[in-house]
Amino acid sequence: MSVALVGAGPGDPGLITVRGLERVRAAEVLVYDRLVAAELVAEAPGMKVPRGSLPQDEINDILVRHGRRRRVVRLKGGDPFVFGRGGEEALALVRAGIAFEVIPGVSALAAVPAAAGIPLTHRGLSAQVTIVTGHAADGSDLDFAALARVHGTLVVFMGLEAVPVLAHNLIAHGADPQLPTAVVSRGTREDQEVVHAPLAELGEASRGLATPALLVLGHVVELAALLAPLQPLVEAAVR
Ligand SMILES: C[S@@+](CC[C@H](N)C(=O)[O-])C[C@H]1O[C@@H](n2cnc3c(N)ncnc32)[C@H](O)[C@@H]1O
């Protein structure tokens, strides 16, 4: 039949798109990631397959196998095509000749900083956003010399464990040790936590935070002092 690769949003179940929720509610098979909100998984009426620790190849096989005969939804955290391996799954479906669609999601990229009062761009402060993964904690796949020189805002996915290495290497390559930074843990969720620190102190400041966490580096981080406290007031005014 078909497979929909659906972005579930960054954690708050209210941040899935209207079309994404429609697909989930019509799913005969739902294959979902660990970070997807339980409330969204509960919306699916049919068979549910948690990704758990299954390797990517096995997930691809499951999508192809069920996708031949059923309406399958592959529900992924954030947006499927932002550090989500959605492209790999789409390629597997193309190779198997199975119809698919991609329904974008609200990526942690902008939603998680926003939930902490940090706009990614801001006139006069940041006109450029650089996104990297800190997955390889030894930094072997990152060009620190280039990253230390980037203007604007630097966002690091999957970087919590690598914070000390990242901070050390950026400073060693010329980044300002006083550069404002923030780590947003479990952003948009009720248990969200945010720490702020100059780059040189980020390792210490972020110790003990829970995953998932997003690192934001740049002068836009300072806006949180003005923008974050307003959020509860806005919410209260809407209710
Ligand atoms: C495998 S990537 C998936 C990204 C996802 N496709 C997206 O567009 O947001 C997982 C990483 O995204 C970031 N992330 C996802 N949800 C988050 C959240 N609620 N709070 C903070 N970081 C989050 C973290 O850096 C986490 O390690």
Side-chain angles (χ1 to χ4, degrees), residues 10-61:
D12 177 340
L15 291 176
I16 193 170
T17 64
V18 172
R19 191 177 303 168
L21 188 54
E22 275 170 16
R23 295 296 186 274
V24 169
R25 286 178 172 158
E28 292 173 290
V29 180
L30 180 81
V31 185
Y32 63 97
D33 282 346
R34 187 178 58 83
L35 287 180
V36 167
E39 291 90 333
L40 295 177
V41 174
E43 293 279 349
M47 176 184 169
K48 293 172 193 176
V49 183
R51 172 176 177 161
S53 53
L54 290 177
Q56 188 62 49
D57 284 352
E58 237 167 277
I59 290 289
N60 296 352
D61 287 349

Side-chain angles (χ1 to χ4, degrees), residues 10-11 35 77-84 106-109 112 156-159 184-189 212-214:
L35 287 180
D79 180 273
F81 278 6
V82 179
F83 291 129
V106 175
S107 175
L109 172 64
V112 165
V156 185
F157 280 72
M158 294 170 274
V184 186
S185 159
R186 301 179 289 208
T188 78
R189 288 170 27 178
L214 198 75

